[in-house]
Amino acid sequence: MCRRRSPALTLPTVTDDLLLTARDLTKKFGDFTAVDSIDVEVRKGEAFGFLGPNGAGKSSTMRMIASVSPVTSGELRIFGLDPAVDGQQIRARIGNCPQKDLLDEELSVEENLWVYGRFFGLSRAEVRQRASELLEFAQLSERHADKVEHLSGGMKRRLVIARSLINNPELLLLDEPTTGLDPQARHVLWDRLFRLKRQGVTLIITTHYMDEAEQLCDRLVVMDKGRIAAEGSPRDLIDRYSTREVVEVRFDTDEHAPHAAPLEGIGERMEVLPDRILLYADNGDAATAAIAQRGIHPLSTLVRRSTLEDVFLHLTGRTLVD
Amino acid sequence: MVGYALWRFVLLRDVLAFRRMWWLFASGFAEPVFYLFSIGIGLGALVQDVTTDHGLVVSYAAFVAPAMLATSAMNGSIADTTYNFFAKLKFSKTYDTMLATPARPWDVAIGEILWSLIRGGIYSAIFFFVALAMGFVRSWWAILAIPACLLIGAAFAGVGMWATTYMTSWKHFEFVTLAIQPMFLFSATFFPLAVYPEALQWLVKLMPLYHGVEIQRGLMLGDVHWGLLGSSFYLLALAAVGLWGASRRISTLLLT
Ligand SMILES: Nc1ncnc2c1ncn2[C@@H]1O[C@H](COP(=O)(O)OP(=O)(O)OP(=O)(O)O)[C@@H](O)[C@H]1O
Ligand SMILES: [Mg+2]
């Protein structure tokens, strides 16, 4: 909790402080609009998140920021530079961890880092030095001479993340960084990202993991169908779009919809999902008591705090995957 | 300064990868040598002397050897810039990763073309020394034969790479075979141009390999004339156009 900013949404006023600005940023693939005129501002040193379901347009946005995908329309500035003009300068200062683990399978683990680093103007000696540090961080030191194709999925992911750090980037783009990582590796990575942030590196992260967004992001946007549905700090979004607590009610049935009507009026709002009913209330225990008072006996009731999942459900009427 | 001559590291990548696949090396070199021995020497035992298009009378093997040298240069660069380039472009996605760094599409194209020239150049050099040892080199002009191989290689590498960017499946490589095979047979490789009817001669003169063969034959037999300069410019232009086209296509395909 202490990692989060104050709930008040402070919009940036000092322009030098802005590392990225997007106005009406749009990406089309043929007739299909993947990113639909979004406005985003990211400040220096901030950890900013894009949260959204599959196909929301997160990766499309990230690729435009990474200056590997031309902007269809609207304005995008990174470090005050236009990717259409200064793409090379921008890429030199960015760490890019794409969603797909694109590693060179014909090279060894360390050679992947060496070659990649040389493109950023690092010398042979610097690249070797950085590579061994990063392999240490990625817990891959012992595998340094192995062929990449022999690594496990999680190891490959860690190597891609390590590779994205080789140029000591000012801005690190992480497109679903922890997909495929086990819980332990995930926490190691989060810890490392906090350390980078303390050193002043700006982070832009996409995820569809709620806990990741809540843990890592100072500020985030909820994205759905190419548009931004809401923006704010995790706490702020939960306060604005959900109640303090949620009661998850399950019945011994295949179909939950018929059980909704008798619960009507308990709490502020209700969401009916195929496998459970969610009752939004500031006091979950009171809501649970109200259920019992009405003589309703669900299979289980569970009181929990609201999360970004609930925000997402409220904003889009859909659950996020996972 | 950001991003100075980044094609060097595309080349570095290929050298590192190749260290594990050195045995692939043998394949590209063997073919022209086999042809030299089977057709040049075997057939040469039957066909005595040949009069070149420029009036020189030489043994059949000495006539065929320069053509095989030009062919080895072609084969060497085609292998890397078509098949191998396609695999990296479409399947291993090697270039997507490179383009996320300060590298630009032409760095990729230049690096890959240079790599193909290094590999093709080594094939050609080995072939050249085989031909030299066998006494098919008649002139000091032949010192320029290896640089000329690089020029031939560059033309085929550039155009081959550009064409490859339009391919969407391995089946399309039939077209490469379809282009290379007739070129190999008809570019005044095994017969002088004069044996063809006039109309066909014009067609042959459009083939890049014909110009490569002309240059090599001129250099190895010491029959140097201004026409070779024209042939060199033709090949240089193909290399430049191919490089330009390939860079643009890499950009269109990957920076989407
Ligand atoms: N190169 C492309 N050509 C055509 N359509 C594309 C291309 N890239 C993405 N799209 C489409 O754009 C939409 C957004 O895709 P994008 O990859 O940005 O989503 P995402 O939010 O990253 O999803 P995920 O969580 O699955 O990674 C999808 O409908 C996708 O099919
Ligand atoms: Mg994505």
Side-chain angles (χ1 to χ4, degrees):
Chain A
M1 297 291 158
C2 57
R3 282 161 189 151
R4 289 174 190 153
R5 277 167 191 257
S6 64
L9 176 63
T10 45
L11 276 171
T13 42
V14 190
T15 23
D16 321 334
D17 205 16
L18 286 178
L19 185 128
L20 179 148
T21 53
R23 298 255 172 278
D24 287 327
L25 182 63
T26 300
K27 182 74 198 183
K28 291 188 180 178
F29 297 104
D31 288 338
F32 180 76
T33 307
V35 179
D36 194 358
S37 87
I38 62 169
D39 290 346
V40 176
E41 286 183 337
V42 180
R43 274 161 286 176
K44 280 196 184 109
E46 184 173 41
F48 187 88
F50 287 94
L51 180 66
N54 294 132
K58 304 182 297 293
S59 296
S60 303
T61 307
M62 290 294 258
R63 282 174 48 79
M64 287 192 280
I65 298 171
S67 307
V68 294
S69 168
V71 169
T72 307
S73 65
E75 191 187 273
L76 178 64
R77 293 287 177 277
I78 303 129
F79 311 119
L81 301 171
D82 179 355
V85 181
D86 295 312
Q88 196 182 30
Q89 270 87 335
I90 296 170
R91 291 195 303 273
R93 296 162 67 181
I94 282 183
N96 183 359
C97 172
Q99 184 169 1
K100 283 193 205 118
D101 292 331
L102 298 177
L103 289 160
D104 199 320
E105 306 254 330
E106 289 175 36
L107 300 182
S108 72
V109 169
E110 61 189 358
E111 284 168 349
N112 262 278
L113 298 180
W114 294 345
V115 171
Y116 196 77
R118 295 302 305 265
F119 281 110
F120 289 92
L122 302 179
S123 71
R124 240 171 97 95
E126 284 167 334
V127 164
R128 280 168 192 252
Q129 168 71 25
R130 284 292 289 158
S132 69
E133 288 166 17
L134 289 168
L135 288 178
E136 192 69 42
F137 147 67
Q139 296 165 300
L140 288 169
S141 296
E142 280 168 23
R143 311 296 297 263
H144 69 100
D146 281 16
K147 278 188 110 174
V148 165
E149 59 174 320
H150 298 149
L151 297 184
S152 75
M155 288 173 181
K156 285 183 186 172
R157 194 68 192 142
R158 269 147 44 196
L159 183 56
V160 172
I161 294 165
R163 189 179 66 184
S164 71
L165 290 168
I166 197 130
N167 58 330
N168 284 311
E170 292 164 57
L171 168 63
L172 182 57
L173 303 177
L174 298 152
D175 197 349
E176 298 188 16
T178 60
T179 302
L181 294 188
D182 62 34
Q184 193 242 339
R186 240 175 140 206
H187 283 96
V188 169
L189 178 67
W190 287 357
D191 178 60
R192 171 72 181 209
L193 294 179
F194 282 123
R195 272 194 277 159
L196 285 170
K197 200 177 154 237
R198 269 202 300 280
Q199 291 163 22
V201 177
T202 308
L203 306 175
I204 301 182
I205 301 157
T206 80
T207 183
H208 42 227
Y209 294 124
M210 293 310 117
D211 53 341
E212 190 158 279
E214 289 191 42
Q215 282 285 317
L216 289 177
C217 301
D218 298 319
R219 220 150 51 83
L220 57 90
V221 290
V222 176
M223 227 178 152
D224 186 34
K225 296 178 187 149
R227 290 171 178 274
I228 290 177
E231 191 223 302
S233 70
R235 188 72 261 154
D236 179 39
L237 287 171
I238 292 166
D239 290 348
R240 253 192 292 160
Y241 296 102
S242 192
T243 52
R244 206 173 68 86
E245 292 183 330
V246 188
V247 187
E248 297 202 2
V249 187
R250 281 171 212 268
F251 290 92
D252 190 10
T253 172
D254 288 338
E255 188 58 57
H256 276 74
H259 294 278
L263 295 170
E264 205 67 62
I266 301 176
E268 291 177 21
R269 200 162 51 78
M270 176 168 37
E271 293 280 355
V272 184
L273 302 180
D275 63 334
R276 61 194 192 274
I277 294 173
L278 303 178
L279 295 174
Y280 289 91
D282 282 324
N283 186 337
D285 290 331
T288 312
I291 297 170
Q293 267 165 24
R294 292 190 185 183
I296 301 165
H297 300 290
L299 190 65
S300 70
T301 56
L302 171 80
V303 178
R304 60 166 176 83
R305 291 180 67 94
S306 276
T307 67
L308 285 171
E309 174 87 50
D310 302 298
V311 173
F312 189 81
L313 191 62
H314 182 49
L315 287 170
T316 68
R318 286 185 295 142
T319 48
L320 271 146
V321 285
D322 304 303
Chain B
M1 194 175 100
V2 176
Y4 153 71
L6 295 180
W7 49 260
R8 286 173 295 161
F9 309 117
V10 179
L11 207 54
L12 170 69
R13 183 257 162 223
D14 287 333
V15 172
L16 289 175
F18 194 69
R19 291 201 304 204
R20 294 200 178 72
M21 298 183 295
W22 53 269
W23 48 270
L24 278 178
F25 195 77
S27 64
F29 150 74
E31 197 177 78
V33 173
F34 293 160
Y35 272 103
L36 178 64
F37 278 88
S38 69
I39 303 210
I41 298 172
L43 202 63
L46 305 173
V47 187
Q48 302 303 306
D49 289 346
V50 183
T51 309
T52 72
D53 289 315
H54 305 283
L56 224 59
V57 179
V58 294
S59 75
Y60 187 66
F63 176 80
V64 170
M68 293 304 106
L69 180 62
T71 305
S72 79
M74 172 179 81
N75 286 349
S77 61
I78 283 283
D80 274 309
T81 52
T82 59
Y83 288 92
N84 298 349
F85 175 70
F86 186 73
K88 287 190 252 181
L89 182 71
K90 301 278 178 181
F91 297 99
S92 39
K93 306 269 179 194
T94 316
Y95 309 127
D96 295 66
T97 302
M98 290 177 177
L99 293 178
T101 75
R104 285 152 302 181
W106 62 80
D107 290 308
V108 169
I110 293 172
E112 292 294 19
I113 289 174
L114 286 178
W115 167 244
S116 79
L117 291 185
I118 291 177
R119 215 169 123 173
I122 294 173
Y123 291 152
S124 303
I126 296 172
F127 184 90
F128 178 78
F129 286 110
V130 171
L132 184 69
M134 295 177 66
F136 298 135
V137 179
R138 305 288 181 84
S139 160
W140 280 102
W141 281 105
I143 284 177
L144 294 176
I146 302 293
C149 281
L150 299 182
L151 183 60
I152 297 166
F156 280 99
V159 174
M161 182 179 266
W162 190 12
T164 301
T165 60
Y166 288 96
M167 299 186 190
T168 52
S169 102
W170 290 108
K171 273 178 280 185
H172 292 152
F173 282 94
E174 290 297 322
F175 292 116
V176 175
T177 315
L178 211 63
I180 295 295
Q181 214 123 63
M183 193 143 51
F184 171 58
L185 294 172
F186 298 116
S187 296
T189 29
F190 298 108
F191 331 99
L193 189 62
V195 304
Y196 299 113
E198 185 100 18
L200 217 54
Q201 287 190 16
W202 278 104
L203 203 61
V204 170
K205 282 182 176 172
L206 285 176
M207 296 180 176
L209 185 60
Y210 166 77
H211 294 277
V213 171
E214 270 290 287
I215 295 170
Q216 294 299 9
R217 203 165 269 153
L219 295 175
M220 282 172 74
L221 301 179
D223 180 20
V224 173
H225 51 94
W226 288 110
L228 300 190
L229 215 53
S231 292
S232 304
F233 279 123
Y234 184 62
L235 294 177
L236 199 63
L238 287 178
V241 168
L243 173 62
W244 172 82
S247 303
R248 281 184 48 128
R249 286 285 300 164
I250 291 170
S251 178
T252 325
L253 288 175
L254 301 184
L255 302 178
T256 56

